[in-house]
Amino acid sequence: MKQKKNTKKNIIPYIALVVIAALILFSSDIFGRKVNILTYSEFAEVLKNGEVLELNITTRDRAKVYELAGKLKDYEDKETFFVKAPLSETVMNLILTNQIENSYKIDVKVDPESSTFMLFIINVLPMALLLVIAFVFFSRQVGNNSKSLDFGKSKAKLNEESNKITFKEVAGLDEEKEEVAELIDFLKNPKKFQKLGARIPKGVLLVGPPGTGKTLLARSVAGESNVPFYFISGSDFVELFVGVGASRVRDMFKQAKQTAPCLIFIDEIDAVGRQRGTGLGGGHDEREQTLNQLLTEMDGFGSNEGIIIIAATNRPDVLDPALLRPGRFDRQITVNLPDAKAREQILKVHARNKIFNTKVNLENVAKRTVGFSGADLENLLNEAALLAVRRGKDKIGMSEIDEATDRVIMGPAKVSKKYSEKEKEMVAYHESGHVILGLKLSDANDVQKVTIIPRGYAGGYAMMTPKVEKYLQTKTELLEEITGLLGGRVAEEIIYKEITTGARNDFEKATKIARAMVTEYGMSDLGPIQFEHKDESVFLGRDYAKSRNFSNEVAHEIDKEIKKILSDCHKKATEIIKENIELLKLISKNLVEHETLTKEQIEYLVEHKKMPDEEIEEPKVKEEK
């Protein structure tokens, strides 16, 4: 509503200007007029013939002419003539002589150019009016957009009390909340820390993958804190004009000093905090000046007591080392992807305003969503709610959550895309190959779901998650993961004696794991040597930034080791699938018929050799007392 009112205010002056101009034009009576331009000889002829009814004479001394205007007998109401005649006695005598004979009306006007006042009115006043109008409109525009000229002013905004987010809305980040809560405690009661000589960190850097809750954590600090909280994005500092960003940094700290103690949150600090003087293209003067000013303000000659900076980035590798040293960003808090327990807590937070049926178990959902960030989980439940509404349900069920999980991972199902019967069967055997290896390998990933419904670029896929979430992986686990990835191709080879393009993504993942085993993890016959590591260059591409510390001969040995790992895993996958060929055919047959099989259906199918008559409910998890 406010924006509409402002729009109306901006339009009103233009409407008024148009109305005034229209009134001037209509009042001047210029519409409908017809002026006939006559030559002096034509004028002399009509004058002698007695056709002139009235005549207006204006003397132009400078131009040495008479400007004659008037009406003739046969003219209409708004029709007149105009003629210029030489400034001479002959012309005036002709006019006066004919006026005596024909008695027409004569009006003589004083030359406006001979009057200083009239000269001002004609020449100066219109220009003055235009300047006044332009000044008025320019002033209004500047008044409405006053911020457009404040290049050097800080764009940091003070947090509004009406938009509070507390620690209750931040789930799965217990240790991280404890770290930032220390800052709030210091701002509220600094003497408790100063008593033991403790110095609170001047800056805290939140580091982690996208969607893990770094910005949400900072917003919760604002909600929990009773001190002023300023927030700004790193991109708000950088401008086209050199020096503007540095000016904004100075202005931001100037504002913060006036309200100290306070907190400043800089989101996506890598936009302004990148390493200086690196890359193929040289430096970036504006960004580097802004960073230099930020470094000076954080820990320079000036004193900024009571100002604590919290920054967030998912690219800590590109930040300038001077920014990360003690005294500036003293502390780094890593916000990792949530584990199963944290995912369950996050799901419960986002489930507060949603209605679920009794079969939905958020703990089981958390176990199935390995690798999901907090943003992914929020999107998952939102997609499930949208699907439930679309299907006309009053509660969200597991079918909507399963479909939403597939949408988040692979995209919406391409129902309109139809396979031929042969293609459908080949995709079923391919995915069944993954299932067999997931069931028979003890250290391989668990198969949570398998489908032959196309999604994204995939014709089908098997959702496989680790049996237990770990920080480390053994060599055996990596080898069995590669073996499981090769199961689809092996099934094609055994059943059809032919191969398809469907294993492209499987090969990509398997080769990446095998190469890392050889060049980074030291899990090959070449020994515990790291041959490759990613160089943390800022502007160069990732491929160019990978350092190679080996000769061409060693590169050949690396290729041989990678090939050996993949060949051995392929051989093992072939043996297992041949031993379980009947189970492969059984799963494939039911997959063709039902198109999607869940973990519970697959386990029932393996045990009873047939599909369950009714949908299997998920096992209920016992509540902890």
Side-chain angles (χ1 to χ4, degrees):
M1 292 294 292
K2 188 176 180 180
Q3 188 175 2
K4 289 183 178 179
K5 289 181 180 179
N6 290 336
T7 304
K8 289 180 179 178
K9 288 181 179 179
N10 291 334
I11 293 174
I12 288 173
Y14 295 99
I15 297 175
L17 185 64
V18 172
V19 171
I20 292 170
L23 290 174
I24 292 172
L25 291 174
F26 280 110
S27 63
S28 63
D29 199 24
I30 64 172
F31 292 99
R33 281 192 174 190
K34 182 179 179 182
V35 179
N36 299 315
I37 306 299
L38 303 179
T39 63
Y40 177 69
S41 58
E42 290 174 340
F43 169 73
E45 185 177 350
V46 296
L47 191 63
K48 291 177 182 178
N49 296 335
E51 297 180 18
V52 177
L53 292 178
E54 60 181 59
L55 184 65
N56 298 319
I57 304 172
T58 302
T59 305
R60 299 289 184 181
D61 293 331
R62 291 186 181 182
K64 295 183 178 181
V65 293
Y66 289 118
E67 291 182 354
L68 308 175
K71 297 188 68 174
L72 302 182
K73 291 181 180 180
D74 58 345
Y75 279 7
E76 297 178 357
D77 290 341
K78 293 184 178 182
E79 188 175 4
T80 60
F81 68 84
F82 178 80
V83 62
K84 286 186 178 182
L87 187 62
S88 64
E89 293 182 2
T90 305
V91 174
M92 187 54 66
N93 291 333
L94 178 64
I95 294 172
L96 293 176
T97 302
N98 281 278
Q99 195 272 339
I100 295 171
E101 294 178 1
N102 299 310
S103 301
Y104 55 79
K105 182 180 177 182
I106 295 179
D107 185 15
V108 180
K109 294 182 180 179
V110 180
D111 183 4
E113 294 180 357
S114 63
S115 172
T116 305
F117 178 74
M118 290 303 297
L119 185 66
F120 172 80
I121 294 294
I122 294 171
N123 296 321
V124 179
L125 188 60
M127 186 62 68
L129 287 174
L130 286 174
L131 289 174
V132 169
I133 293 171
F135 176 76
V136 170
F137 278 97
F138 181 74
S139 300
R140 292 184 64 86
Q141 292 301 319
V142 172
N144 293 333
N145 303 290
S146 58
K147 293 183 180 180
S148 62
L149 297 179
D150 295 338
F151 294 112
K153 296 293 184 181
S154 171
K155 292 188 177 182
K157 299 177 182 177
L158 192 63
N159 183 68
E160 298 179 1
E161 293 294 326
S162 59
N163 191 24
K164 272 195 172 184
I165 293 179
T166 63
F167 282 161
K168 293 180 181 180
E169 279 73 37
V170 182
L173 298 175
D174 297 334
E175 293 81 6
E176 292 81 356
K177 286 191 289 186
E178 186 177 340
E179 291 287 329
V180 294
E182 185 180 279
L183 304 178
I184 301 171
D185 192 19
F186 174 82
L187 292 170
K188 291 180 178 179
N189 188 13
K191 292 182 179 179
K192 182 173 70 172
F193 294 85
Q194 293 170 354
K195 185 178 180 181
L196 295 177
R199 178 183 63 81
I200 201 67
K202 292 186 178 180
V204 176
L205 183 65
L206 304 178
V207 178
T212 50
K214 299 183 294 298
T215 304
L216 182 67
L217 183 62
R219 292 176 66 186
S220 70
V221 172
E224 294 286 342
S225 174
N226 291 326
V227 298
F229 186 93
Y230 296 92
F231 60 96
I232 190 172
S233 172
S235 60
D236 287 334
F237 292 111
V238 183
E239 276 287 351
L240 173 66
F241 307 104
V242 177
V244 174
S247 176
R248 288 178 178 173
V249 172
R250 287 191 294 270
D251 189 65
M252 180 179 70
F253 277 90
K254 182 181 178 181
Q255 292 181 29
K257 287 176 185 177
Q258 294 172 355
T259 57
C262 65
L263 290 164
I264 298 175
F265 174 61
I266 305 176
D267 199 10
E268 303 297 344
I269 195 173
D270 52 273
V272 69
R274 286 172 173 254
Q275 293 179 25
R276 294 165 290 179
T278 56
L280 296 175
H284 185 295
D285 288 340
E286 162 62 2
R287 185 180 52 74
E288 291 187 8
Q289 286 194 23
T290 306
L291 175 58
N292 291 337
Q293 187 64 44
L294 181 62
L295 295 174
T296 304
E297 293 288 347
M298 288 187 70
D299 188 25
F301 286 104
S303 177
N304 290 319
E305 293 296 332
I307 300 175
I308 297 175
I309 296 180
I310 302 175
T313 182
N314 53 14
R315 298 283 309 280
D317 55 305
V318 305
L319 295 180
D320 195 281
L323 197 63
L324 303 178
R325 74 159 175 83
R328 286 174 180 146
F329 283 107
D330 306 85
R331 185 178 298 176
Q332 291 190 30
I333 299 176
T334 303
V335 186
N336 281 321
L337 291 170
D339 57 13
K341 182 180 178 182
R343 289 196 298 273
E344 183 184 357
Q345 294 174 357
I346 294 170
L347 287 168
K348 286 180 179 178
V349 169
H350 295 301
R352 288 175 184 171
N353 62 339
K354 295 177 176 62
I355 303 173
F356 297 92
N357 64 30
T358 55
K359 293 182 180 181
V360 174
N361 189 304
L362 294 179
E363 184 174 346
N364 288 339
V365 175
K367 290 179 179 179
R368 291 182 178 183
T369 50
V370 178
F372 277 44
S373 66
D376 291 330
L377 294 171
E378 191 274 335
N379 188 37
L380 168 68
L381 293 185
N382 185 61
E383 286 286 345
L386 292 173
L387 283 169
V389 173
R390 218 175 296 164
R391 294 173 178 178
K393 295 184 177 181
D394 56 357
K395 292 182 179 180
I396 302 170
M398 275 308 300
S399 60
E400 285 77 34
I401 292 178
D402 283 339
E403 174 64 19
T405 305
D406 294 340
R407 281 171 172 258
V408 173
I409 296 174
M410 301 292 292
K414 296 183 177 179
V415 183
S416 60
K417 183 179 178 180
K418 298 297 182 182
Y419 287 124
S420 65
E421 290 301 319
K422 184 178 179 181
E423 272 187 319
K424 191 174 185 180
E425 187 182 77
M426 292 180 78
V427 173
Y429 272 113
H430 179 100
E431 300 303 334
S432 299
H434 293 303
V435 175
I436 294 295
L437 293 173
L439 293 171
K440 299 302 178 181
L441 293 173
S442 58
D443 290 324
N445 291 340
D446 264 348
V447 179
Q448 296 292 340
K449 182 179 182 180
V450 61
T451 179
I452 58 172
I453 298 174
R455 289 181 183 272
Y457 292 105
Y461 78 99
M463 182 191 294
M464 305 178 77
T465 59
K467 292 182 173 65
V468 181
E469 291 186 52
K470 300 178 181 179
Y471 286 102
L472 300 174
Q473 282 184 290
T474 64
K475 181 179 179 180
T476 303
E477 289 171 347
L478 291 173
L479 290 172
E480 292 198 356
E481 186 175 348
I482 294 174
T483 305
L485 289 168
L486 299 177
R489 168 55 65 85
V490 171
E492 294 173 5
E493 293 172 346
I494 293 174
I495 298 298
Y496 295 103
K497 311 299 181 185
E498 182 64 275
I499 56 177
T500 70
T501 59
R504 179 181 63 84
N505 187 248
D506 299 331
F507 291 155
E508 181 183 345
K509 293 178 181 177
T511 305
K512 185 177 181 181
I513 296 171
R515 187 168 193 85
M517 289 176 66
V518 176
T519 61
E520 296 180 37
Y521 306 148
M523 294 180 177
S524 70
D525 293 339
L526 294 179
I529 305 173
Q530 188 181 54
F531 294 102
E532 294 180 350
H533 69 276
K534 291 181 180 179
D535 192 6
E536 308 298 350
S537 295
V538 182
F539 298 106
L540 296 177
R542 295 295 183 184
D543 293 336
Y544 293 103
K546 185 174 284 189
S547 296
R548 294 181 46 169
N549 300 320
F550 49 84
S551 63
N552 291 333
E553 289 78 8
V554 175
H556 178 65
E557 293 297 324
I558 290 172
D559 293 340
K560 285 173 62 177
E561 286 296 320
I562 294 172
K563 183 178 179 182
K564 180 184 176 184
I565 290 173
L566 294 172
S567 298
D568 290 345
C569 291
H570 182 273
K571 183 178 179 181
K572 186 175 181 180
T574 304
E575 292 173 357
I576 294 173
I577 290 180
K578 282 183 176 179
E579 291 172 1
N580 297 275
I581 192 70
E582 295 302 323
L583 181 60
L584 176 73
K585 293 179 179 178
L586 177 66
I587 295 174
S588 176
K589 178 183 175 183
N590 284 276
L591 195 54
V592 170
E593 183 179 350
H594 299 280
E595 293 189 332
T596 300
L597 300 177
T598 64
K599 178 183 178 182
E600 293 75 24
Q601 289 173 329
I602 293 171
E603 290 175 350
Y604 189 93
L605 188 62
V606 172
E607 184 178 352
H608 300 89
K609 308 302 178 186
K610 65 174 185 177
M611 288 287 288
D613 296 329
E614 297 180 358
E615 184 181 349
I616 300 174
E617 292 188 10
E618 291 192 0
K620 294 183 180 179
V621 180
K622 295 181 180 179
E623 296 182 359
E624 295 182 2
K625 295 183 180 180

